[in-house]
Amino acid sequence: MNNCLIHNAQVYNSTLRGFYYGSVLVMKGRIAILHRGDVTSAPAGVEVYDAEGKMLIPGLVDIHTHGRAGGDFNTADASLMEQMAVSYLDSGVTAVMPTLASATMDSLENSIDLINDLRAASVESEGRLAYIAGVHLEGRYLNVKRRGAHAAELLVTPDAAELASLMGRVAGARHISAALEQEGGEEFLTRALAMGATVSLGHTDAGFEVANRLIAKGVTGLTHTFNAMPPLHHRDGGAVAAGLLSDRVYCELICDGFHIAPHMVKLAYRLAGRRLTLITDSMEATGCPDGEYSIAGNPVTVKDGKARTHDGAIAGSTLSMWEAVQNLRSFADATLGDAIYAATMAPALEAGLADEVGSIEVNKRADLLLLDAEGLSIDRIMCGGYWHR
């Protein structure tokens, strides 16, 4: 049912990063009314659902994910992409920014077209598929020195005209990761912002001063902070220090305890606060057993849940967003309210999605999760006003 009154709930408030006792009226897939205090009367034809005092939070938002459930957005066909969208929703992620790694122009164009079709299907799916919010382009415009699992032969210096051609194909939001310290980087940034994209500095060799200059010109994200960039150093803190110290940059973290040591997660949490964004950077093996996989067509071995290319580089993760929420609580002594914010509102703000998703507010999509009493597991999932489970 697309119309529902959820009452007797502890409703999450993103502004306060806490909860209040109340009710939420969902009409035509949107949040229609928020009540403080319990309200049980509903318009005719509206389902009344008793939350039994449990926590009601926004659906999780993953803006940096290459795939899961055996599929990669760079290589999957339409059928596999649909299976992936079901798997995201099963894990509590109600909004996804499919992330494309480095590839040829023809391949990227084909993937974008398929993602556009998946986006259209997600809007009409009646809670069967996670909402596909747009496209995150993480490649080809990366620094070869910090390429990680991206194939060197597929990398090019930032090209504003080429970017415009790609972004012009995208239906929905546009988010871009690039090494903008390279030749053509500032023109590339200007063009991206003019097209309404949000831009993160990623796979970068930028030092502190250069990173600060790019932030002043419009960069608002730091792609998987600490990873694929110069390490934090006492003589030049690099992009890491620039991002953590800025009041406008959202700092992404892959919070799996493998990409980043728990004590460094705690450091980032204390410095970034509301600007900390949880991501998965997940690849196709997520939700699957160990074995041989790929990322953007490059061979990857997954052992003990850790993905590496055959030359030893870390190749994305097998992390889920809900695991990242719990890990942030454990690693950084984060409150549940802060951890939820980092997986909902912060990514929505970073990628320009906050008008649609990321919080429980009137007129936003009714993408909601009902948690158990301790906030440790997800009991029910609503996407676009429809109960998924």
Side-chain angles (χ1 to χ4, degrees):
M1 179 174 287
N2 205 222
N3 300 327
C4 181
L5 175 68
I6 304 171
H7 77 102
N8 189 21
Q10 297 297 324
V11 182
Y12 182 75
N13 181 295
S14 295
T15 301
L16 301 177
R17 289 178 285 181
F19 295 85
Y20 65 90
Y21 181 64
S23 304
V24 177
L25 178 64
V26 173
M27 298 291 288
K28 297 181 180 179
R30 297 273 167 175
I31 305 295
I33 301 175
L34 300 175
H35 298 280
R36 287 188 177 272
D38 199 27
V39 175
T40 58
S41 60
V46 172
E47 173 193 9
V48 179
Y49 180 82
D50 186 354
E52 300 177 340
K54 295 178 180 178
M55 299 174 189
L56 187 69
I57 71 169
L60 307 180
V61 180
D62 196 348
I63 63 169
H64 190 154
T65 172
H66 297 276
R68 62 177 292 127
D72 184 307
F73 286 113
N74 275 84
T75 55
D77 61 14
S79 176
L80 183 51
M81 282 195 185
E82 282 216 3
Q83 294 176 44
M84 293 158 65
V86 172
S87 180
Y88 280 106
L89 193 50
D90 285 340
S91 74
V93 173
T94 56
V96 183
M97 287 284 281
T99 304
L100 296 176
S102 301
T104 64
M105 279 291 287
D106 286 348
S107 177
L108 289 172
E109 289 169 353
N110 180 66
S111 295
I112 289 170
D113 291 346
L114 288 171
I115 291 167
N116 289 342
D117 291 343
L118 181 64
R119 170 181 164 83
S122 75
V123 172
E124 302 297 329
S125 72
E126 299 187 351
R128 189 175 63 87
L129 308 176
Y131 172 57
I132 304 302
V135 170
H136 174 187
L137 183 65
E138 190 202 15
R140 323 171 335 135
Y141 314 106
L142 312 179
N143 194 313
V144 68
K145 294 179 184 177
R146 305 288 177 181
R147 65 185 179 88
H150 294 252
E153 64 272 15
L154 294 172
L155 304 185
V156 297
T157 55
D159 184 324
E162 184 179 278
L163 176 73
S165 174
L166 281 174
M167 290 296 97
R169 303 180 79 95
V170 174
R174 301 155 179 168
H175 184 60
I176 300 160
S177 293
L180 300 169
E181 75 279 4
Q182 299 180 99
E183 182 180 355
E186 292 190 15
E187 180 188 356
F188 181 99
L189 173 60
T190 299
R191 180 70 66 91
L193 296 174
M195 296 188 74
T198 51
V199 182
S200 289
L201 188 61
H203 289 268
T204 176
D205 204 43
F208 181 76
E209 291 185 6
V210 171
N212 268 335
R213 185 177 75 243
L214 293 166
I215 290 167
K217 289 181 177 293
V219 166
T220 52
L222 196 60
T223 301
H224 42 50
T225 305
F226 298 114
N227 296 119
M229 58 188 64
L232 194 62
H233 191 275
H234 61 282
R235 292 195 181 91
D236 188 333
V240 173
L244 290 174
L245 292 173
S246 170
D247 61 2
R248 61 178 296 174
V249 172
Y250 289 88
C251 299
E252 299 176 1
L253 287 185
I254 308 170
C255 197
D256 60 0
F258 172 49
H259 282 77
I260 309 165
H263 65 273
M264 295 302 284
V265 171
K266 190 171 189 176
L267 175 68
Y269 167 68
R270 290 192 176 181
L271 288 173
R274 284 178 180 250
R275 296 178 295 104
L276 189 148
T277 298
L278 290 176
I279 61 167
T280 61
D281 198 11
S282 65
M283 46 84 70
E284 64 179 40
T286 305
C288 302
D290 285 356
E292 296 299 318
Y293 295 92
S294 66
I295 186 166
N298 298 314
V300 170
T301 298
V302 177
K303 183 178 181 181
D304 299 326
K306 299 172 182 177
R308 291 187 182 275
T309 62
H310 291 179
D311 59 3
I314 297 175
S317 83
T318 59
L319 182 69
S320 76
M321 280 295 283
W322 188 244
E323 289 170 340
V325 168
Q326 298 303 327
N327 287 345
L328 183 62
R329 295 176 71 185
S330 174
F331 297 166
D333 298 322
T335 65
L336 176 61
D338 281 357
I340 290 169
Y341 190 94
T344 56
M345 196 59 178
L349 287 166
E350 180 183 343
L353 309 178
D355 288 344
E356 282 284 291
V357 301
S359 61
I360 303 175
E361 296 182 72
V362 172
N363 294 327
K364 287 195 178 183
R365 284 177 54 90
D367 295 345
L368 304 168
L369 306 181
L370 194 67
L371 308 183
D372 70 350
E374 288 77 36
L376 296 175
S377 63
I378 300 168
D379 280 0
R380 295 208 71 181
I381 299 168
M382 174 181 282
C383 188
Y386 291 92
W387 290 112
H388 176 68
R389 65 166 170 85

